[in-house]
Amino acid sequence: MKTHFSIAEIKTTITYLEPLFDVVRLVDPIETAILTIKNGKIHREKYSCYKVWNKTNRCETCSSMCALTAQCPKTKHEFLANNIFYVVSQPIFIILTESEIIKAVLEIVSRNSDHLLETPGQQQNFFALLNETQRKLYEDELTGVYNRRYLNEFLFLQNKNSTIPEKLTIIFLDLQDFKSINDTYGHLTGDRLLKHIAQTLVTNVRNQDSVIRFGGDEFIITLTNCTEDNIQYKIDKLKEKLYAICYDTKNNLHIRANFGYSHSNKFILSKTMLHTMIKKADSMMYHEKQLAKHR
């Protein structure tokens, strides 16, 4: 499949597709901008791409952002005025000069046929089913926080952010001696504690931040547009909130966790950089864990 286009080629392609589909457009999902071609040049319009769906902020699951990061086509359904639209997002490269190439996404939108859903009740049920399916794709089944798919597809960058933030903090935390809690009190108690811990983390971060269950008793918290000066303060507050959870009143036992973090003022949208930051935060957390064991 062709992925590299000159300005003339992509303009011809859009012109050819427009009579066939409801919407054909170029978008920059990083800045949620519409790209237009005028006089042989690319222009960024002030109109945000999500406004076509009557939304006031970036789509929670932006298929174009996912396509751009994965560099492969992505699809989704969108809803507008009781109509269902099928969206295909194809990442492309537009060649401006030999040394200047811009990344963009070609969005093709088609309205689903009316006969598929004959009554308003069928439409609402279908909307609800699609929304529920979409939510479950990115939700940890036990705790209700986000899962690793949400992390790997960079959706944490889109959370309540109209444009992709450059400042990113990864906080990695591991619960102390949680295996012994499961062994002593049973896995049902351990599961209840994990739910309580996850919700405690969620209620003590900002709406634009994300709590992700990384696996077992490990969690990642992503902070966007946060200065490094505030990170340790946030970690200390989270430790305090977790310690407030007492799981054995008789023996006065509380939840403790080890934390590590990494921070970047210029985060680049790449899996390599994301994994590097996670590894650094994990290493810092492990160092704190070893110190705690010695103490």
Side-chain angles (χ1 to χ4, degrees), residues 128-144:
L129 177 62
L130 282 178
N131 283 328
E132 180 69 6
T133 302
Q134 190 70 33
R135 182 183 62 81
K136 286 184 175 180
L137 275 175
Y138 301 105
E139 184 182 272
D140 177 61
E141 185 177 5
L142 174 65
T143 62

Side-chain angles (χ1 to χ4, degrees), residues 9 163 197-198 210 215 218 227 237 272 289:
E9 287 174 329
T163 59
I197 289 162
S210 301
E218 296 174 331
T227 60
K237 292 297 290 182
T272 299
K289 192 173 199 174

Side-chain angles (χ1 to χ4, degrees), residues 4-8 10 35-37 40-44 93-103:
H4 288 68
F5 296 82
S6 67
I7 291 181
I10 194 62
L35 305 180
T36 57
I37 301 172
K41 294 182 179 180
I42 298 290
H43 296 266
R44 294 177 184 272
F93 298 89
I94 303 176
I95 304 168
L96 303 181
T97 65
E98 288 185 2
S99 59
E100 189 178 3
I101 299 176
I102 66 171
K103 292 180 179 180

Side-chain angles (χ1 to χ4, degrees), residues 233-248:
Y233 171 77
K234 289 178 178 291
I235 288 175
D236 291 340
K237 292 297 290 182
L238 289 172
K239 284 184 177 181
E240 179 184 316
K241 295 296 183 181
L242 292 179
Y243 187 76
I245 302 173
C246 179
Y247 61 89
D248 187 332

Side-chain angles (χ1 to χ4, degrees), residues 162-179:
S162 293
T163 59
I164 298 302
E166 291 186 327
K167 289 182 180 178
L168 175 67
T169 301
I170 301 285
I171 297 176
F172 199 108
L173 71 97
D174 177 83
L175 303 174
Q176 286 187 17
D177 300 320
F178 200 78
K179 183 179 183 300

Side-chain angles (χ1 to χ4, degrees), residues 254-295:
H254 298 253
I255 292 295
R256 296 176 184 270
N258 300 116
F259 285 75
Y261 77 88
S262 59
H263 177 80
S264 174
N265 284 320
K266 291 288 183 181
F267 180 73
I268 299 171
L269 202 63
S270 89
K271 289 190 175 181
T272 299
M273 187 167 186
L274 175 63
H275 293 161
T276 299
M277 289 185 68
I278 292 172
K279 186 176 180 180
K280 182 179 178 181
D282 183 27
S283 178
M284 185 177 178
M285 180 277 297
Y286 182 77
H287 180 67
E288 182 180 281
K289 192 173 199 174
Q290 293 303 108
L291 290 177
K293 283 184 178 179
H294 290 310
R295 286 196 297 266

Side-chain angles (χ1 to χ4, degrees), residues 73-90:
K74 296 289 183 180
T75 62
K76 71 170 181 177
H77 286 90
E78 273 292 351
F79 317 110
L80 182 65
N82 290 327
N83 291 310
I84 303 171
F85 293 87
Y86 186 65
V87 183
V88 179
S89 298
Q90 171 67 50

